[in-house]
Amino acid sequence: MADIKSPANPLFLREDELRQGIEMLFFAYRDFTAKADQTLAQFNFGRAHHRVIYFVGRNPGMTVSDLLAILHITKQSLSRVLGQLVRQGFILQKPGSTDRRQRLLSLTDKGADLERKLTEEQRALIARAYRSAGADAVEGFRKVMLGMIEESDRRRFRPGLPR
Amino acid sequence: MADIKSPANPLFLREDELRQGIEMLFFAYRDFTAKADQTLAQFNFGRAHHRVIYFVGRNPGMTVSDLLAILHITKQSLSRVLGQLVRQGFILQKPGSTDRRQRLLSLTDKGADLERKLTEEQRALIARAYRSAGADAVEGFRKVMLGMIEESDRRRFRPGLPR
DNA sequence: ATTTTATGTCAGCCATGTTGACTTATTTTT
DNA sequence: AAAAATAAGTCAACATGGCTGACATAAAAT
């Protein structure tokens, strides 16, 4: 409560601090995606395929609409990669039981294998960063990240709430 | 708040915690880039232009090689967007004084205007997240992010060191 | 019975990444 | 001085993954 603007000027809101935040996000994302991209290339897949495989793996039984709401892309864009994944046997579609218009998505065994392989690399990267930063830092990391995420998606990270 | 963590179990390294880290990175980056992308579209520019404008603004006098080392793209990819920015008067090139093969890059006034406009949006987003998370959280955020960045680029974020 | 919704499809456009081959100017090495 | 290496640029072709717009089908909701 003490800080008025000038002497106790919150250091972490200085221009340079914010710029560093911007850059850290750029560099971290650049390096976070780099390894998986290599693996994906071996399958002739791209980052878009990864995102689909990832989120379907995380939310088996999700609908196409659910996926679109997460990815923030058009259904035409999604359709391209999703179609490939279905045709090549990485993802299964089955009609919804209550609403038969829906196509519920899930990974096949083959899909789950790829998902594991891809995500494992990224999990290792994060685990290393978490471990070297320590539990308190991780708590802070989560708080800041949460603040950057669109309000309606924050629920995904709050404990115990239904999806 | 009263987390009942089993004391020895490093909660923050559990599978789910790591997955949340992955997802936070995805969602934060998605939302972090969304606003600027809209602004860029008004200029018929894309995210690649933003990155060039940003880093040149941040490092006036940098060489093309410097920029390539940051972006991790090929010179042919860079050339396309850089060429547009130069031709349209957002970026200036001048031969290096000691090594005249180099093209030292800097923003024109017009370029600096656009840079400010674009970065301001992102800075505001980060500022909001920082403010609501608090100074300690920001410290933790930085630690974790740093751990995810390729070793050779971490120097950029350490205080007082020469670039 | 009509309208809305969930999903899919075709066609074409744009941005931005890639590889490969080659040029020019300049600096460094031999 | 000649040769090699480096900084930068260029042309061409290709792939990925966004986008818009128009239209189709089946099922659910009104």
Side-chain angles (χ1 to χ4, degrees):
Chain A
M1 61 182 306
D3 333 300
I4 307 186
K5 288 293 145 68
S6 37
N9 188 17
L11 194 65
F12 62 99
L13 284 179
R14 278 179 339 187
E15 157 91 12
D16 194 62
E17 186 85 2
L18 296 174
R19 279 202 171 255
Q20 289 202 6
I22 290 177
E23 292 180 31
M24 283 182 163
L25 217 43
F26 166 75
F27 284 106
Y29 199 77
R30 183 198 68 178
D31 296 340
F32 172 72
T33 50
K35 268 185 240 163
D37 284 351
Q38 282 182 285
T39 306
L40 286 158
Q42 295 167 4
F43 289 78
N44 285 312
F45 287 153
R47 208 174 284 179
H49 300 86
H50 188 184
R51 294 196 276 253
V52 170
I53 285 185
Y54 177 85
F55 283 108
V56 170
R58 182 96 163 122
N59 306 95
M62 78 189 308
T63 68
V64 172
S65 294
D66 292 339
L67 196 45
L68 288 173
I70 287 178
L71 298 177
H72 285 190
I73 60 176
T74 61
K75 68 176 171 176
Q76 295 93 324
S77 292
L78 174 58
S79 165
R80 202 156 26 196
V81 290
L82 182 55
Q84 292 172 30
L85 291 168
V86 169
R87 281 194 301 278
Q88 297 180 36
F90 292 88
I91 285 189
L92 248 174
Q93 289 178 311
K94 75 169 197 182
S97 50
T98 69
D99 185 339
R100 295 197 324 273
R101 290 171 302 180
Q102 299 175 332
R103 302 298 155 87
L104 307 186
L105 305 173
S106 56
L107 296 181
T108 61
D109 289 351
K110 190 179 169 189
D113 282 352
L114 180 53
E115 193 280 329
R116 227 171 289 119
K117 183 169 182 171
L118 290 169
T119 305
E120 198 171 319
E121 301 170 337
Q122 300 195 319
R123 222 168 27 219
L125 189 101
I126 299 218
R128 199 152 28 78
Y130 275 17
R131 210 176 301 120
S132 84
D136 289 351
V138 170
E139 191 49 40
F141 169 77
R142 292 174 50 91
K143 267 192 200 162
V144 171
M145 292 297 273
L146 216 52
M148 289 196 294
I149 295 171
E150 184 179 294
E151 214 285 319
S152 64
D153 281 317
R154 287 184 200 156
R155 64 178 66 255
R156 301 179 191 280
F157 304 100
R158 287 199 269 261
L161 287 183
R163 269 198 222 107
Chain B
M1 288 263 168
D3 308 321
I4 323 158
K5 357 186 153 186
S6 41
N9 184 17
L11 193 65
F12 61 101
L13 285 180
R14 278 180 340 191
E15 157 92 13
D16 195 63
E17 185 85 4
L18 295 175
R19 280 202 171 255
Q20 288 203 6
I22 290 177
E23 292 180 31
M24 284 184 161
L25 217 43
F26 166 76
F27 285 106
Y29 199 76
R30 183 199 70 178
D31 295 340
F32 172 71
T33 49
K35 269 184 240 162
D37 284 351
Q38 282 183 287
T39 306
L40 286 158
Q42 295 167 3
F43 289 77
N44 287 310
F45 287 153
R47 208 175 284 178
H49 300 86
H50 188 183
R51 292 196 277 253
V52 170
I53 286 184
Y54 177 85
F55 283 109
V56 170
R58 182 94 164 124
N59 305 94
M62 79 191 307
T63 67
V64 171
S65 293
D66 292 339
L67 196 45
L68 288 173
I70 288 178
L71 298 177
H72 285 189
I73 60 176
T74 60
K75 68 176 171 178
Q76 295 93 324
S77 290
L78 174 57
S79 165
R80 200 155 30 197
V81 291
L82 183 54
Q84 291 172 29
L85 291 169
V86 169
R87 281 194 301 278
Q88 296 180 36
F90 291 88
I91 285 189
L92 248 174
Q93 289 177 309
K94 75 169 198 184
S97 49
T98 69
D99 185 338
R100 293 193 331 269
R101 289 171 305 181
Q102 299 175 330
R103 301 298 154 87
L104 307 187
L105 306 172
S106 57
L107 296 181
T108 61
D109 289 351
K110 188 179 170 189
D113 282 351
L114 179 52
E115 193 281 329
R116 227 172 288 119
K117 183 169 183 170
L118 289 170
T119 304
E120 198 171 320
E121 302 171 336
Q122 300 195 319
R123 221 166 30 218
L125 189 102
I126 299 217
R128 198 151 28 78
Y130 276 17
R131 209 178 301 119
S132 84
D136 289 350
V138 170
E139 191 49 40
F141 169 76
R142 292 174 50 89
K143 267 192 200 163
V144 171
M145 292 297 275
L146 215 53
M148 289 196 294
I149 294 170
E150 183 181 294
E151 214 283 318
S152 63
D153 281 316
R154 287 183 200 157
R155 65 177 68 254
R156 301 178 192 280
F157 303 101
R158 285 199 270 260
L161 288 184
R163 276 204 211 100

